[in-house]
Amino acid sequence: MQPRSSITPQYFGLSEAPSRMRQPLRFSRRGLIVGMSCASKLLGSRQHGSLLERDLHTLLEADPSFESFALEAHSLIYFAPAEHGSLQRRTYTPDVVARTTSGAIVVLEAKAAALRAKPNWVEREHLIRDAYWCDHGVRFCVLTELDIRKEPRLSNCKIIVSRARGADESDLSLRLLDAISTGPRTLAALYGMVLAPKASIFATIMALVYRGNIQFDLAQQLSEGSIFSETVSR
């Protein structure tokens, strides 16, 4: 029987200030891109190592179904087949571990498609996925640039995150929610129905989307023709 995998620290490392399990990132002559994430849902270290990781953080920040996430917050100890039928102990540290608003844990890896196709990762991926699911009941998802940078979703999420910040007009929020409560409305229609500057209306709508009160189709480019409706469930 194969030994059960384990996770260190407990609870997938999600805490108010999770420690980073990998060595701190440093600038590299080999092209490592080091930057700082400004996502408000991010716990602990904010340093990302690639633009692909940065874009993944944007998707998580804009998605109201996610409550919080952390970078490299735990390590998974699992076992892989070795020579003569033996097992080899291995360690894997994920890029991101996220908690949904329902309390579910999701483990995410941001990996360029070319790197995901390499034999050494192909061999590891299914072992890691099985260990998370079979031993811990947690989904493990590998996302490439084809998933993360899908347009216009990524651009829409960037707009949601950037424009929602600082929008705190409770009266305007209530008036917009009241207008949408009677049925889906286009952005253009909301501009005509609610008396307020367009910039304030737009920012408040993005804040309502960010909080999960209303929604629109992220697969369609955001415009005055975009249709906003109440969020039925999350």
Side-chain angles (χ1 to χ4, degrees):
M1 180 181 292
Q2 182 161 312
R4 178 185 171 88
S5 65
S6 61
I7 288 173
T8 304
Q10 294 182 336
Y11 308 112
F12 304 92
L14 279 176
S15 63
E16 289 304 314
S19 300
R20 200 169 193 136
M21 298 301 290
R22 294 179 195 160
Q23 290 296 315
L25 293 171
R26 297 177 180 176
F27 289 100
S28 169
R29 293 180 181 178
R30 299 175 60 186
L32 179 66
I33 297 172
V34 178
M36 302 299 289
S37 173
C38 57
S40 63
K41 297 178 184 178
L42 182 55
L43 306 175
S45 173
R46 295 183 167 272
Q47 195 177 66
H48 62 75
S50 73
L51 297 180
L52 190 61
E53 289 180 23
R54 177 204 64 186
D55 291 340
L56 173 58
H57 301 171
T58 298
L59 297 183
L60 294 172
E61 178 74 357
D63 189 338
S65 67
F66 285 98
E67 175 187 278
S68 59
F69 64 97
L71 311 182
E72 303 169 10
H74 70 260
S75 288
L76 172 77
I77 307 299
Y78 68 103
F79 297 87
E83 294 181 357
H84 311 299
S86 61
L87 293 173
Q88 181 182 43
R89 184 176 183 271
R90 293 186 179 179
T91 302
Y92 167 71
T93 300
D95 288 333
V96 174
V97 55
R99 181 189 289 116
T100 69
T101 53
S102 65
I105 300 296
V106 182
V107 177
L108 303 169
E109 176 77 17
K111 189 170 290 292
L115 296 178
R116 188 183 188 187
K118 288 184 175 292
N120 63 336
W121 175 257
V122 172
E123 180 226 349
R124 295 178 63 202
E125 183 177 324
H126 78 91
L127 294 172
I128 293 168
R129 178 176 289 107
D130 289 348
Y132 273 117
W133 181 250
C134 297
D135 294 341
H136 308 285
V138 163
R139 286 188 298 132
F140 173 66
C141 302
V142 180
L143 303 175
T144 70
E145 65 271 23
L146 303 178
D147 307 302
I148 295 172
R149 291 177 173 159
K150 187 177 294 184
E151 292 291 0
R153 183 184 62 175
L154 178 58
S155 293
N156 286 337
C157 287
K158 289 179 179 178
I159 293 171
I160 292 168
V161 170
S162 62
R163 297 304 298 272
R165 292 193 180 107
D168 188 26
E169 298 187 45
S170 56
D171 177 66
L172 183 53
S173 294
L174 291 174
R175 286 187 285 150
L176 286 166
L177 287 172
D178 185 59
I180 294 171
S181 67
T182 57
R185 304 286 183 183
T186 65
L187 179 58
L190 291 170
Y191 283 155
M193 295 173 66
V194 179
L195 184 61
K198 282 188 175 182
S200 297
I201 292 174
F202 185 76
T204 303
I205 288 174
M206 291 302 102
L208 291 170
V209 172
Y210 176 79
R211 294 196 293 266
N213 301 120
I214 62 175
Q215 62 188 2
F216 71 101
D217 187 359
L218 292 174
Q220 302 296 321
Q221 185 172 0
L222 181 58
S223 68
E224 290 198 4
S226 295
I227 299 174
F228 293 86
S229 60
E230 288 184 302
T231 302
V232 177
S233 61
R234 289 170 53 182

